[in-house]
Every structure is written in C-alpha cells, then in structure tokens.
Amino acid sequence: MTRRASLRVIAVLLIGLVVTLGALPTSPVAAAYQRISGEGSSWAANAIDAMRVNVRQFGITVDYNPSGSTSGRKNFLNGTVDFAASDIPFQFHPEDGSAPENPAPDSYAYIPVVAGGTSFMYNLKINGKRVTNLRLSGQNVAKIFTGVVKMWNDPAIQADNPGLVMPARAVVPVVRSDGSGSSAQFTKWMISRFPSIWTTYCQKSGRAPACGFTSFYPTIPGMISQSGDLGIAGYVSQGFAEGAIGYVNYSYALGSQFPVAKVLNAAGFYTAPTPQNVAVSLLKAKINTDASNPEVYLTQNLDGVYTDTDPRNYQLSSYSYLIVPTKVAGQFNLAKGETLGAFAYYAMCQAQQQSESLGYSPMPINLVQASFDQIRKIPGVVVQNIDIKQCKNPTFSTDGTNTVAKTAAQPLACDKQGGVTQCPNGTGGMSNVPTAVKPGAPTGGGATTTLPVRSSGGGGGGATTTVVRGDTGGSTPTGGTTPTGGTTPTGGTTLDGGSTVDTTPGAVGGDGSSGDGSSGDGSQQGGDGATAGVVVGDAMPTTLSQSHASLPLVLLVVVLTLSLILAPAFAWRYFTNRRTT
C-alpha cells in the first residue's frame, strides 16, 4: 500500500469516528423516542405524573397539562396534543347545553388507565382539634353541594355523627371552576341517587332547563370555585378555610395530609374511597364490550356501583381514560405513535404496581387485556406481545378474580349507620390520627372501651385507641394509634422493584407551573412529577425495550476497534516506507 493510500485509509477511519461520535446523542436512549404531549384530567394527574417520571429512564418524555377533562378532549380534537386523559367519554349529546363533541369516526380509542374514588376532602375542627372521622350520608353530600345544608351542626349532619358534637360553623362547598370530568361524575351520581335535590338546585342556579349531568358545575353565592383537583385541595387545606369541603381524587387528600368524609353506602355503612374499597365497588361497573363501536367501547356504566350492597362499597368510584389517536393527523405522526404506544404499555402494566401507594386502585385484568388491543390501534406503535402474568399487577390472581377486591377488609361495626357512637379512626391523609368520640352510653366513673383503629389503606392488625368515658362526656384517644397493614400518608412505601413513593406534603411545584400549566417543562403541572406531594424514586422493572440505543453503540464499538487496530498498523507501515525511501 502506498503512503498516499495509507493516509487516505487513516483519514477515512478518523472521519468515520468523528461522524459517529457527533451523531450519537448525549443520552443514546433519548434520541429513539419523539417527545409527546397530553392534556386533560386533573383527577388522574397524580398517577399520570408518576408514570411519565418513571418512563424518562427509557428516553420517553411526556408533557402533561392537567387542565381538566373538557379542555383535554377539546385540544385532542383540535390536534394540539398527542393524547388526552378524561374521566368521561366524548360528549356527543351533552345534557348541560354545551356544544357537542364530534370526533371523526374511527379516529380515537379509549384506554382505561386509572381507577379511583372521588373523595370529599374537608377542613373542620371541634374545640381547636381537627376532625378526621367525619361521616356523611349521600343525601347530606348532595345537600351540602346544592346549598341546602349550610351549617356543620345541622341536625341531619349531627345524625350522621353521633360520636361528635358538631360545631356551629358555616359549610363552604368548594367546586370546580373548569370543565371537569369529576364534576360530571359527581353530578351524574346526584342525578341517579337524589334527582329532586339536583333538579331543584339546577333551576335555582339559573341553569334550567339543561339540568342533566354537567362538566361545568353551576354555583350559587356561598360557594368557592377553584381550577383542578389541585386548586380545590389547595384551598381546602388552607388555615383560613376552616369549614370548607371539596371533591377531589383521593390521592390529593393523601398528598395534602387531610381527611376525607366517609360516605354512607347502600349496605348502611360509612366507607372511605380507599383503593381496596374502590376495587370492590368497580366489580359492579358495567363495561361496554362492543368492540365494533369505538364511541362506547370500554366506557363505563356506574349505576350498579351506586346501588351495590357490599358493605365495603364506595359509591363514587370510577375509571379515567386515555384517549389515543388511531390515525395520523395534526401534529401526531408515526414517530410519536411509537412513543405513545410504549408509554401506554408501561401505563397498563408496571405503572399499576404503584397505584395503591398513590391513592388509586390498580386496573383489573380484563381491562388491561382489552387495553392491549386498543394500544395496537395507535399508528406507529411497536406491538409488544406481553405475557399478562408478567405485568405483576396487584389485582391479578390465578383464578381471574380481583385480588385487591377479594382481600379488602370489611368495615368496622362502629361504621354502621344507626349506632349510638362512631369509629374514631381517621381517614385519607390523616388515617393514623383518630378523633375522640363520645361514649356509646353513659357509664360514669371513667370506664373505658377499646375500639380498633384501621388504616384507610384497609389494614388492621390489632391497633387500638382508647375512648375514655368520663362524667363530662369528654373522650380522649390514647396510645396504640399507629395503623398497620395499609399505606400510610408519609414515609415512603416500597414498591416492587425498589421504587419508593413518598407522600410527604409540600412537593407541589418543581420546575413547572403549579396552576394552569402555562409555563415550565412542557406546560405541565408542578414540573416532573412533583404533584400533590408525590415524589417517585427509582423506576421499576419494565417491559419497555432500550434496544433503540444498541445500533449506535455497536457502530461506535466497531469504529473504535478498527481504529485501535488498523491506525497503528498503517502508521507503522507509513513510517517504515518513509525510512526505506
């Protein structure tokens, strides 16, 4: 080989090395996926934020703006986001007089993504001490949010709480100001259970004749309106907001470390929206299985949930959906479809493992399997043939039943309607803080009775609180108040694969805006996953493949190897030839 030829070979090798190194991204995995954006439900936002934080390890970047279900569906139709999240399906025939939503036929698919309970987070004290065990009948919930019940010491609320002396303080209902799927679910429940209360209120508010269920909650003087679940939770938790009560997903009460009301069910028990109770309740949800009609496929009918006579039932349990495109249109392309498909697979399997620790209920096996078929409809998706047994979803069992529902604890006897007292057990974000209750019957002389305390996570294990029966009727809980067996609101629950979720409050914010999502990383709420106190640690094992990085790495190794072997040889040959000439 001539000197000129040798130099040419060396130059080619060096140029190839430079080009290869320049083409490699800073993070090899990150270049394989195109950034995607979503918008919609704030009810589901804590779960979605945890998912999108965990998938960053695979180079998947998902921006999500929790602007409300209505806004999410609207912007999905406008083509300005790649997917939406909504607590209700598209409204082809809205009952509240709003404009119909008309997506193009066969242009979208629903994927049930999270299940949970709409809870009634409240801020109430008696003699300066926070109440953590409030109970409300469904009728009283409806009357509170329609302005009929105005004081906390109303006889109807006092009847729900025989163990408390309710304070003479005004009730301040806090409702959603934006178009909200949780408002729609809440109003649909009231229409189903208490139609005369809702119709009277709707007419009073000036909304008549459009008094069907609505995403836009009608208000009257004395109510407070806030945007998003985070807005309601933020208002209710303020020191100045004593007397306030609002409806939010249960996860926000956990993150805010505030209690939620136990709501009376058809079996006559007051229950909380724990993941276990939600799993039980949704066994009665009717899921539309007509795959030939994408307008309704996998959507839910909750009438059976409202009337379920299982003692563990929580009536305001429901699912939230991802709405994904099935056609390339607007800003959505095949590359984004690959990313969205990978994210959806993660959401249906690994992400469900941490649902309970966040306050949600993991999806049952039938909906996970059905969702796999929905994911296949996303243009550009790389289809994964996942063994359903490898999902490690806590609801799955060998006999096909819902394990979470099957193992859910029965309510305590003191949570049954009609008793002379009530359970002292705290709820929601204060499940480990009992409230002193009046004794069931006067015994005098300081006799005591011991009642079990159970975590809102559905645990047990013998933890107790002592109710002192004194001549004055006062009662003080003492000792043994640590709940066992359930997810506590602080400390960090260890998840399968080493993930830790810490629900310590105060993590709202981060590098994005905490309100309307108008600034920060991708216009999302609270930055990367720091929503309502949810902080996600190390990611779990995943079915997502990191093979996208393999080709550039292989090329780099090959070029480097050739350079290390051939460059010295050519250099030696070059200098040897030079000496001989």
Side-chain angles (χ1 to χ4, degrees), residues 307-330:
T307 58
D308 184 16
T309 55
D310 190 303
R312 300 164 294 180
N313 164 267
Y314 183 78
Q315 291 188 7
L316 285 103
S317 300
S318 59
Y319 297 110
S320 185
Y321 313 96
L322 291 182
I323 303 177
V324 298
T326 56
K327 293 182 178 179
V328 172

Side-chain angles (χ1 to χ4, degrees), residues 245-303:
I245 181 170
Y247 54 93
V248 295
N249 183 277
Y250 184 61
S251 64
Y252 287 85
L254 293 183
S256 301
Q257 290 197 323
F258 261 74
V260 299
K262 295 179 183 179
V263 178
L264 185 66
N265 62 26
F269 282 89
Y270 296 90
T271 59
T274 64
Q276 294 76 22
N277 288 344
V278 168
V280 169
S281 306
L282 290 175
L283 294 176
K284 295 294 185 179
K286 290 184 179 179
I287 304 299
N288 192 298
T289 56
D290 182 7
S292 66
N293 186 357
E295 292 183 10
V296 296
Y297 182 52
L298 297 187
T299 60
Q300 60 194 334
N301 181 317
L302 300 173
D303 291 344

Side-chain angles (χ1 to χ4, degrees), residues 15-28:
I15 291 172
L17 177 60
V18 170
V19 169
T20 301
L21 289 174
L24 284 173
T26 304
S27 172

